[in-house]
Amino acid sequence: MDIGDDFADWDFTGGEIEVLRSKAHEPLMKSRAWKCSVCTCYNDKKSTSCDICGVSQSSFIRYSSPTEIEVDSRLRKCELSKLARSLFSSKPQRLPKLDISYEDFQDFLRFGGPCRAYTAPRSKRSIHIVPFKFDTPSPDDVVSTGLKSAKTFLKVDTLHLTKSQSDAKEKEKKTTSLSENTSANSSTGIEEETKSLSENLQKLNLEKDHAPSKTKKPRPKPQYKPEKWMLTGQEPGSRSQLNLAIVGHVDSGKSTLCGRLLHLHGQISNNQMHKYEKEAKDKRKGSFAYAWAMDESSDERERGVTMTVSVKYFDSKNYHVVLLDSPGHKDFVPNLISGTAQADAAILVVDASIGAFEAGMVGMTGMGQTKEHAQIIRSFGLEHLIVAVNKLDSVEYSQERFDLIKLQLGSFLRSCGFKESGLKWVPLSTMENQNLVARPSDVRLSSWYNGGCLLDAIDFIPPPSRYISNPLILPICDIISSRTLGQLAVSGKLEAGAIRVGSKVIVMPPGTVATVRTIERNGANCNVARAGDNVCVGLQNIGDDQLTSGGTLCHVDFPVRIASILELKIFVLEMSTPILVGFQVEFHVHHAKASARVEKIISLIDQRTGEVLKKAPRMLSGKQSAIIIVHLDREVCVEEFATFRALGRVFLRSSGSTIAVGIVNRILERS
């Protein structure tokens, strides 16, 4: 039999290895004298401790069922103690595996046992278990008690702890040494140490360093200081400028009124006027001759309606008047909003002929253009309004007709917020030149009207306030190009500050810095323009793709804000469709417009007091005031109404009608 082959196929993980172990230990068991009471293993009679578990033979107290054995020529009682019985309640462990070599295994097969006796390694260590004392608190209890008591005091100043880290480490060492010695002290001593620890923590909290903080404070926004050239008074002999918006229902005679005023003040020569009359007669529109002084485009003359805002000038007794002839057709109301944004006051032209006045009040949707225009100009903050009741010659200058118009329209204007002191009613006839720049010559009108003419009413308007001491803000109304201004130029009204040739400006929203090349005011070149002036500004060092209508020219260090999510305080006008969350609207602010969505309806409020009437209403209907959140599809230049009013007035339109007017209450996000 080949031993090598049999050894290669031997399975040492089965029961055979256990048989080998038991046979190998038989001579050892017989030669040993005493049995360990802990692990039940036999040991040599000369050994004083167990070779397997290391327990001393004489280390047990309180024996149970003792047996006498001879150890060191003495009879000793050795049996399992109560502590050992609780620790080793399970069966004793097996003997450790033997380290058997190949030669030993061959000897075992030949002679029936190993050649060398196995001796287990002796361990010199001993197990000494100290019983736990439950009548005194542990070190962890002392520390936790101190931390709980410290919670009632003030929080530790983080700056003080940073400065005194060494003191904190020493206190921590004291706390550690205290916790190590608590097991030897009595309960009374531990309570005293706990109280001392709490007092130390309280003292650490109350000892604050009153030295000035080294934390960085936010840099304050620099305060704007206007330069001397901005505050220089107007030139001697010059008049204050008054921007006057001309609004009203379509075909009420707005452009004709403007042309007549310009001709009477010498702004249109007789030769030019004859030319207009001839061209109008050739196209069978003889009554439009004065209107063509304002409507210069071929489309406007062909259709007979004003489509864009025309700007002309004339001088009255007190003012340099800028006429802003706005379109009256409902399709061009966005242009009306853009033109009215530049106005200081307005003239509301009303057609007194039968049926025309009623159409302007009611219209096809329940609100005619007369009402809508009145709402818009009031929402822009205009407090002074001249109501020009035109075409009275068509009703024979009837006083009853004038009183009826004044009664019906006056109640609506007062509901919009106009005060009686800010309203001026002027009956007139533009085609007959009655009561425009002089008292009426027709007896039918002069017999019952004793007031002033239209020009007197214009001079009666108090001068508007200007924000010259504020940083530059020039909303861009239009992008133009001319030979005198250069390839890139913008037009608009200076809402705040001043501008001069050569100064640096920042164009928002792109944030590009440009240089002012030229300035035109009232059609003439100038070096300086101030708040309230309607100007055209030529720019350089900027691309044409960075200039858009609705942008803003600002001071380099004080740009306006740009945002796309706004909280608005609105007043809903007369409308048939309610406003719900998710409602799509057309958002207008100064010259900018964007598509928007009603994100949230926060609350209904009282229009007069601002008190919240209902939170989170499901919808909004006509004649209700509310606070809503709108989300714009693009960012626009805007300011909160409390910060700067000219950039904080908004309009919401839908389906060709203005459905709500309001102000910017808060800017919720800056893109």
Side-chain angles (χ1 to χ4, degrees), residues 35-54:
K35 179 180 180 182
C36 180
S37 61
V38 177
C39 62
T40 66
C41 295
Y42 289 93
N43 298 276
D44 188 13
K45 65 179 181 179
K46 296 182 180 180
S47 300
T48 58
S49 62
C50 181
D51 296 331
I52 303 300
C53 62

Side-chain angles (χ1 to χ4, degrees), residues 410-456:
S411 60
F412 175 77
L413 294 177
R414 285 188 291 271
S415 67
C416 295
F418 286 102
K419 298 180 180 179
E420 192 66 35
S421 59
L423 296 175
K424 187 67 176 179
W425 301 83
V426 180
L428 52 87
S429 174
T430 303
M431 296 302 297
E432 298 292 333
N433 190 18
Q434 294 294 321
N435 208 28
L436 291 179
V437 296
R439 287 186 54 82
S441 58
D442 196 311
V443 180
R444 292 175 296 179
L445 179 58
S446 60
S447 61
W448 56 269
Y449 180 71
N450 299 321
C453 63
L454 179 62
L455 189 60
D456 294 336

Side-chain angles (χ1 to χ4, degrees), residues 250 328-334 364-365 369 372-373 653 656-657:
V250 63
H329 198 278
K330 64 178 182 179
D331 293 341
F332 308 108
V333 172
M364 299 180 62
T365 59
Q369 297 306 298
E372 184 175 357
H373 291 192
R653 290 177 55 82
S657 301

Side-chain angles (χ1 to χ4, degrees), residues 65-360:
S65 302
T67 58
E68 294 183 354
I69 61 174
E70 184 179 358
V71 179
D72 296 336
S73 303
R74 295 181 183 181
L75 292 178
R76 293 183 179 275
K77 296 180 180 181
C78 181
E79 189 51 50
L80 189 66
S81 65
K82 293 183 179 181
L83 179 60
R85 186 179 298 173
S86 62
L87 294 176
F88 300 93
S89 59
S90 60
K91 294 181 179 181
Q93 299 179 356
R94 292 181 177 180
L95 292 174
K97 294 182 180 181
L98 297 177
D99 188 8
I100 303 175
S101 63
Y102 178 72
E103 291 78 4
D104 294 339
F105 182 73
Q106 288 181 342
D107 295 340
F108 174 79
L109 294 177
R110 292 177 182 178
F111 305 105
C115 297
R116 289 171 291 181
Y118 171 76
T119 304
R122 297 186 179 185
S123 176
K124 296 182 180 180
R125 61 186 180 89
S126 61
I127 300 176
H128 181 69
I129 301 176
V130 180
F132 185 79
K133 298 180 180 180
F134 293 95
D135 56 344
T136 59
S138 66
D140 292 338
D141 295 336
V142 177
V143 176
S144 61
T145 304
L147 294 176
K148 288 181 180 179
S149 62
K151 290 182 180 180
T152 58
F153 305 128
L154 297 175
K155 293 183 178 181
V156 179
D157 190 358
T158 56
L159 180 62
H160 176 70
L161 290 177
T162 304
K163 293 183 177 180
S164 57
Q165 291 181 351
S166 59
D167 297 341
K169 290 181 179 179
E170 292 179 2
K171 293 180 181 295
E172 184 179 358
K173 292 180 180 179
K174 293 180 180 179
T175 307
T176 305
S177 62
L178 176 63
S179 61
E180 292 177 353
N181 297 330
T182 48
S183 58
N185 297 334
S186 61
S187 60
T188 305
I190 293 173
E191 292 179 358
E192 292 179 357
E193 294 292 343
T194 304
K195 185 177 180 181
S196 176
L197 177 62
S198 301
E199 292 177 355
N200 292 337
L201 290 174
Q202 182 183 8
K203 184 178 180 181
L204 179 63
N205 291 327
L206 296 179
E207 288 178 354
K208 292 190 176 182
D209 190 6
H210 297 284
S213 177
K214 294 183 179 180
T215 57
K216 293 184 178 180
K217 297 181 179 180
R219 294 183 60 184
K221 188 176 180 179
Q223 186 176 3
Y224 176 75
K225 294 182 180 180
E227 301 179 25
K228 292 183 179 180
W229 62 269
M230 299 180 181
L231 304 177
T232 304
Q234 60 186 9
E235 299 176 359
S238 62
R239 297 178 176 87
S240 300
Q241 181 166 307
L242 179 67
N243 301 302
L244 199 59
I246 313 299
V247 299
H249 191 62
V250 63
D251 293 335
S252 60
K254 300 182 297 296
S255 299
T256 303
L257 175 62
C258 293
R260 191 67 139 169
L261 289 174
L262 294 174
H263 181 250
L264 293 174
H265 285 85
Q267 299 298 316
I268 301 176
S269 63
N270 293 331
N271 294 334
Q272 188 69 29
M273 195 66 236
H274 288 307
K275 180 181 177 181
Y276 291 151
E277 291 176 355
K278 182 180 179 180
E279 291 176 354
K281 288 180 180 179
D282 293 341
K283 293 186 178 182
R284 297 181 180 181
K285 296 181 179 180
S287 61
F288 287 83
Y290 288 101
W292 283 13
M294 305 298 293
D295 301 336
E296 297 178 349
S297 67
S298 58
D299 292 339
E300 290 177 328
R301 293 183 178 184
E302 186 68 27
R303 297 182 57 179
V305 295
T306 303
M307 301 170 63
T308 59
V309 178
S310 301
V311 182
K312 298 293 181 180
Y313 319 93
F314 74 89
D315 291 333
S316 67
K317 181 180 179 181
N318 298 333
Y319 294 110
H320 174 73
V321 182
V322 179
L323 294 176
L324 303 171
D325 183 25
S326 304
H329 198 278
K330 64 178 182 179
D331 293 341
F332 308 108
V333 172
N335 295 337
L336 165 78
I337 295 174
S338 179
T340 310
Q342 308 176 52
D344 301 316
I347 297 178
L348 178 61
V349 183
V350 179
D351 190 349
S353 57
I354 303 299
F357 168 72
E358 288 75 12

Side-chain angles (χ1 to χ4, degrees), residues 544-575:
D544 55 353
D545 58 336
Q546 296 175 323
L547 294 175
T548 57
S549 179
T552 309
L553 298 186
C554 314
H555 192 281
V556 176
D557 298 328
F558 298 89
V560 299
R561 302 175 68 179
I562 56 175
S564 59
I565 300 180
L566 307 172
E567 181 185 281
L568 308 180
K569 183 185 293 185
I570 64 170
F571 175 74
V572 183
L573 306 180
E574 297 177 2
M575 57 179 301

